[in-house]
Amino acid sequence: MMINESVKTKIMFFSFNSSFRFWGLLIAMFLYTEVPMLFGDENKNNIDEELLKIEEIFNANRSIFKNGYCRFVFSQWSADSVEDSLKGIENGQSIKRKIEYEIFMSNGDFIQKTDIDLEAVLKRINQKEISFTPMNIAIKSGFAIDHNAALNNAIVHSPDNYQVNVRYHPFNFSADSSGLDPASAIRYARSKSFDGIECYIGGNAVVDGVDCVILNVCGEKDSHCFTYYIDMSRGCLPLKIEMFNKDKSLYATTNILEIKEIDGGYFPLHSIKTNVLKTDDEKTLVKVSETEVLEIDLLYKPTQKDMALQLPKTTQFYDGINPNSSKTLFLDHENEFVDIPVENIENIYNQLQGIAATREKASLKRSLRNDDIVSKNSGRNWMWIIIIANLFLMVFIFMVVSSRRNRNSEK
């Protein structure tokens, strides 16, 4: 079949055009997918490096404070405005509640306890006069005791189940159990310890005349998002933290009002968290949580008594995971209170694991014994069913035979 020149030209043009489109698309795909792999996503790498830098500097700064003594007060009160709260002006609409804590640190070992006699605390709890739940904490090598004095129970954590979140502490900038410091947030995002948590740099901002890097932290499964304004020149401490609900509405802000340089490190001395609420009559009410360091001495050498928690002998211990590990360990102690040095935390954890294993083994034996009893009873039941069935069969046969004999005799 002959093809005229006009048609041939059109076919050649179409083939060339299609070929050009194909190779153009292929080159575009290569540029889109391969070039970043060959040369690297420079912007992303820069952001990742900045996140790692914040994490490293923050942890290095905090590691300076692993020895010594610190005493601070945590208080809650109310104000008419955020401005008043930052000036310490109370509105008198609520009673100011406060509790003092002492922190003892020795080569990374950590003890935090209330600065009052525990017997007095328990007495106040029994009389329902306690304004705060005293939280006593001891940490050594990833093993920790988290004691709730109001409930008189203690969760003992291992390095594999380390969930201690020190609720009241100068470095807990959200002043509650939901708080994350910026380094922990970055670490969780890198290790994917929590599904969906995301950290990213959001630019720069000036806070109280200081240039800060904005760090955003958010998680899909977490109802909170945080924005940290990081002071890179002072240990990567945040000067301000904004806390958002899932709908991106601001629900609280923490301002770090005073930072002190000590032995080359930077310690937050004074912070105020504000939560702005609306009253029933549409007036503004600001709830304030304040943390203020009263004394800090990095040269102090904690004593053996300092590095021990004093707990009631009725304290119930639990590993935080397995209910079978729950046990009151010191009921036979001669005194009402028992001292638990940080060196004993790992032993207590192992003791709880042994208790759980023994109970689970006993529970399994009971279960097997019950199954055996049920099996035997089931066997006996079937035996009686067979006997009764045989009896009914014999009666039936007897009745049939008797009926036939009677009919034969009538004939």
Side-chain angles (χ1 to χ4, degrees):
M1 182 177 67
M2 298 294 293
I3 301 176
N4 64 44
E5 291 299 320
S6 176
V7 174
K8 187 184 293 186
T9 303
K10 289 181 180 179
I11 291 174
M12 291 177 62
F13 177 79
F14 178 79
S15 300
F16 174 80
N17 199 32
S18 299
S19 177
F20 178 79
R21 289 177 181 175
F22 170 77
W23 286 107
L25 180 61
L26 192 63
I27 291 169
M29 288 177 64
F30 173 81
L31 291 173
Y32 180 76
T33 59
E34 299 296 332
V35 170
M37 294 178 63
L38 293 174
F39 299 101
D41 187 338
E42 186 176 350
N43 187 47
K44 183 178 185 300
N45 287 340
N46 288 340
I47 292 174
D48 288 344
E49 288 176 6
E50 197 159 8
L51 290 175
L52 287 173
K53 184 178 179 181
I54 291 172
E55 181 185 0
E56 291 171 1
I57 294 175
F58 183 92
N59 287 333
N61 177 69
R62 188 162 182 175
S63 68
I64 292 172
F65 308 105
K66 61 182 181 181
N67 290 290
Y69 168 79
C70 174
R71 182 168 65 93
F72 69 94
V73 59
F74 178 79
S75 59
Q76 289 184 329
W77 40 282
S78 61
D80 289 329
S81 66
V82 173
E83 290 75 15
D84 283 352
S85 69
L86 297 179
K87 296 175 182 177
I89 302 174
E90 303 176 41
N91 62 9
Q93 293 186 23
S94 63
I95 299 173
K96 186 172 186 175
R97 306 183 302 160
K98 65 179 182 178
I99 187 170
E100 284 191 16
Y101 277 99
E102 289 182 308
I103 296 174
F104 298 93
M105 299 166 288
S106 178
N107 296 320
D109 297 345
F110 177 91
I111 287 277
Q112 178 171 309
K113 46 193 172 182
T114 52
D115 191 26
I116 51 178
D117 185 77
L118 192 57
E119 190 169 1
V121 173
L122 294 178
K123 182 178 178 181
R124 287 164 58 194
I125 290 172
N126 293 334
Q127 296 173 350
K128 298 181 179 180
E129 294 178 354
I130 193 75
S131 58
F132 280 115
T133 298
M135 308 295 290
N136 302 296
I137 297 169
I139 303 172
K140 181 179 178 64
S141 303
F143 290 90
I145 290 180
D146 191 353
H147 177 250
N148 184 322
L151 300 176
N152 197 25
N153 64 18
I155 299 178
V156 186
H157 303 269
S158 74
D160 296 330
N161 179 40
Y162 188 78
Q163 299 176 356
V164 176
N165 195 331
V166 185
R167 183 183 298 264
Y168 309 127
H169 188 281
F171 274 90
N172 183 350
F173 306 110
S174 66
D176 60 28
S177 60
S178 68
L180 284 177
D181 64 66
S184 297
I186 295 170
R187 184 178 73 252
Y188 292 145
R190 283 195 300 104
S191 63
K192 299 182 180 178
S193 298
F194 296 104
D195 292 338
I197 192 167
E198 183 182 8
C199 294
Y200 58 94
I201 302 297
N204 299 84
V206 176
V207 177
D208 296 331
V210 178
D211 290 328
C212 296
V213 172
I214 299 174
L215 171 66
N216 293 306
V217 179
C218 205
E220 292 178 2
K221 294 185 178 180
D222 190 2
S223 61
H224 298 149
C225 292
F226 299 83
T227 297
Y228 297 88
Y229 295 82
I230 305 293
D231 184 354
M232 300 294 291
S233 65
R234 288 189 288 181
C236 280
L237 291 178
L239 298 189
K240 184 169 74 171
I241 306 100
E242 295 173 330
M243 291 154 253
F244 298 88
N245 291 311
K246 200 62 177 178
D247 62 1
K248 305 303 181 185
S249 61
L250 179 69
Y251 75 88
T253 302
T254 296
N255 292 84
I256 288 45
L257 303 180
E258 184 179 359
I259 296 172
K260 184 176 182 179
E261 183 177 2
I262 307 172
D263 292 347
Y266 297 91
F267 199 95
L269 295 183
H270 190 194
S271 64
I272 284 183
K273 175 185 174 182
T274 54
N275 187 355
V276 181
L277 305 173
K278 288 291 184 182
T279 61
D280 293 337
D281 55 0
E282 292 301 311
K283 291 184 178 180
T284 299
L285 176 67
V286 180
K287 291 178 63 176
V288 181
S289 298
E290 182 177 16
T291 303
E292 186 171 11
V293 174
L294 305 176
E295 183 180 357
I296 183 168
D297 182 2
L298 299 186
L299 299 178
Y300 179 79
K301 303 293 184 184
T303 64
Q304 187 174 0
K305 186 174 180 60
D306 291 334
M307 299 305 296
L309 283 185
Q310 186 187 65
L311 303 181
K313 70 177 185 179
T314 54
T315 298
Q316 183 143 341
F317 294 83
Y318 164 54
D319 72 355
I321 298 176
N322 191 342
N324 285 315
S325 68
S326 181
K327 178 73 173 177
T328 303
L329 298 176
F330 300 101
L331 273 179
D332 296 333
H333 198 269
E334 58 183 5
N335 298 322
E336 289 300 311
F337 296 88
V338 58
D339 287 338
I340 301 178
V342 290
E343 290 80 8
N344 290 1
I345 301 175
E346 184 175 354
N347 292 335
I348 290 175
Y349 178 82
N350 292 333
Q351 188 177 349
L352 295 178
Q353 299 311 296
I355 291 169
T358 301
R359 287 175 175 172
E360 287 166 0
K361 189 179 294 183
S363 177
L364 179 61
K365 285 183 179 179
R366 284 194 300 270
S367 177
L368 292 174
R369 187 165 58 247
N370 290 338
D371 290 344
D372 187 48
I373 292 171
V374 170
S375 178
K376 288 179 180 178
N377 288 338
S378 177
R380 291 193 189 100
N381 291 339
W382 277 108
M383 182 181 67
W384 282 109
I385 290 171
I386 293 170
I387 291 172
I388 293 170
N390 286 330
L391 288 173
F392 274 110
L393 181 60
M394 292 172 67
V395 169
F396 176 75
I397 293 171
F398 175 78
M399 291 176 65
V400 170
V401 171
S402 298
S403 175
R404 287 180 178 177
R405 284 178 180 175
N406 289 337
R407 284 200 298 271
N408 291 335
S409 64
E410 289 175 358
K411 292 178 179 179

